[in-house]
């Protein structure tokens, strides 16, 4: 959120955000260093309608220059759906994200199967996403439900299905215990957070000032993003020792990528 309380037809009210009034922006960032590749200011519905939901449209718009290059896209449940996973998979772009079970295409096999305080941690179930006729979507998209402290829904086209690892969780008595976890969940936790990192870095150099001109808030916002991107590029160059290495690469080519 870009803070602004004046008059503007683009101003939004989001009560769940720390900044409740202002301009809503969507980021696409490098998950490892917070480099902001692009962002989009929410201006309301275009042409009066959104065909597949706001989240899906935002992902397709921001990922447009990266499609077909084997990037991995991580999203939270506001953006995730079998539709967006399928649209990216058709463009050789992989997807993983938490998902709400009421999304179209999520199979009944993963809906309401776990109950809090009744299902032990580590239980999981998965099934392939389906279309309106109940047939499996091609290319196949894995929908799964994993029981942590509470049920966690996930959509995945990155990690192979039915492959598990372990994660450490604290027990009520204070001890720690390893529980079974799908590899997709661990990948999501490892690479989700680039937007939060970029937002935290930007707050360290806030330059915006009060103004009756709403567009000045957005102008200073772009200046802050440019400053942070310059800082990230400087760090990448210093670490690598090369000046010809771009700050943003397909994650499959990065040294820190889990799958080599």
């Amino acid at each position: 959120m870009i803070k602004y309380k004046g008059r503007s037809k683009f101003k939004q009210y989001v009560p769940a955000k720390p900044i409740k009034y202002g301009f809503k922006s969507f980021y696409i960032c490098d998950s490892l260093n917070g480099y902001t590749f692009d962002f989009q200011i929410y201006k309301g519905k275009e042409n009066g309608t959104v065909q597949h939901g706001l989240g899906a449209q935002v992902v397709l718009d921001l990922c447009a220059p990266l499609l077909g290059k084997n990037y991995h896209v991580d999203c939270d449940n506001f953006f995730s759906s079998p539709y967006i996973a399928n649209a990216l998979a058709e463009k050789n772009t992989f997807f993983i994200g938490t998902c709400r079970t009421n999304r179209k295409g999520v199979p009944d096999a993963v809906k309401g199967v776990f109950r809090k305080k009744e299902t032990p941690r580590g239980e999981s179930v998965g099934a392939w996403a389906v279309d309106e006729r109940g047939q499996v979507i091609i290319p196949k998209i894995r929908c799964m439900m994993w029981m942590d402290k509470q049920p966690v829904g996930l959509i995945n086209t990155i990690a192979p299905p039915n492959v598990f690892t372990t994660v450490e969780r604290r027990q009520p008595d204070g001890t720690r215990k390893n529980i079974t976890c799908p590899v997709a969940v661990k990948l999501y936790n490892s690479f989700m957070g680039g937007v939060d990192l970029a937002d935290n870095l930007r707050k360290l150099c806030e330059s915006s000032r009060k103004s009756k001109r709403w567009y000045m808030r957005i102008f200073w916002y772009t200046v802050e993003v440019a400053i942070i991107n310059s800082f990230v590029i400087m760090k990448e160059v210093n670490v690598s020792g090369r000046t010809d290495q771009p700050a943003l690469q397909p994650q499959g080519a990065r040294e820190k990528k889990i799958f080599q």
Side-chain angles (χ1 to χ4, degrees), residues 162-210:
N162 302 323
V163 177
F164 298 91
T165 182
T166 59
V167 293
E168 191 179 73
R169 290 292 185 268
R170 185 185 296 275
Q171 302 302 304
D173 59 0
T175 61
R176 293 185 176 273
K177 179 181 178 181
N178 289 330
I179 64 172
T180 304
C181 165
V183 170
V185 174
K186 202 160 188 177
L187 283 176
Y188 176 81
N189 290 332
S190 298
F191 292 99
M192 185 66 186
V195 173
D196 292 334
L197 176 59
D199 201 33
N200 289 335
L201 291 173
R202 187 181 61 82
K203 289 180 180 179
L204 298 176
C205 64
E206 285 187 336
S207 57
S208 182
R209 297 294 184 270
K210 289 184 178 181

Side-chain angles (χ1 to χ4, degrees), residues 11 15 54 57 99 129 140 164 177 186 191 223 233 244:
K11 185 180 69 174
L54 173 62
Q57 191 61 50
C99 183
K140 292 183 177 181
F164 298 91
K177 179 181 178 181
K186 202 160 188 177
F191 292 99
V223 170
I233 292 173
D244 59 342

Side-chain angles (χ1 to χ4, degrees), residues 1-4 19 21-25 41 217-218 221:
M1 295 289 290
I2 305 173
K3 188 175 181 179
Y4 184 72
I19 299 176
Y21 292 93
F23 306 112
K24 190 173 184 179
S25 61
I41 304 296
R217 287 283 190 173
I218 299 178
Y221 175 79

Side-chain angles (χ1 to χ4, degrees), residues 228-245:
I228 295 305
N229 278 356
S230 301
F231 171 70
V232 170
I233 292 173
M234 180 195 69
K235 289 203 305 179
E236 290 285 317
V237 170
N238 289 341
V239 169
S240 66
R242 295 173 51 187
T243 58
D244 59 342
Q245 181 176 353

Side-chain angles (χ1 to χ4, degrees), residues 6-18:
R7 294 183 178 181
S8 173
K9 64 179 181 180
F10 303 128
K11 185 180 69 174
Q12 302 290 315
Y13 171 63
V14 185
K17 295 286 187 179

Side-chain angles (χ1 to χ4, degrees), residues 51-104:
Q51 185 177 2
H52 294 285
L54 173 62
Q57 191 61 50
V58 167
V59 173
L60 291 177
D61 289 346
L62 293 179
C63 291
L66 307 177
L67 298 179
K69 299 179 181 179
N70 295 317
Y71 278 92
H72 293 179
V73 178
D74 290 30
C75 295
D76 63 19
N77 59 28
F78 178 82
F79 304 94
S80 298
S81 68
Y83 165 77
I84 192 62
N86 181 64
L88 294 176
E90 291 178 345
K91 300 291 186 180
N92 295 324
T93 303
F94 302 96
F95 179 87
I96 190 169
T98 53
C99 183
R100 302 169 185 175
T101 56
N102 60 355
R103 297 287 193 188
K104 291 182 179 179

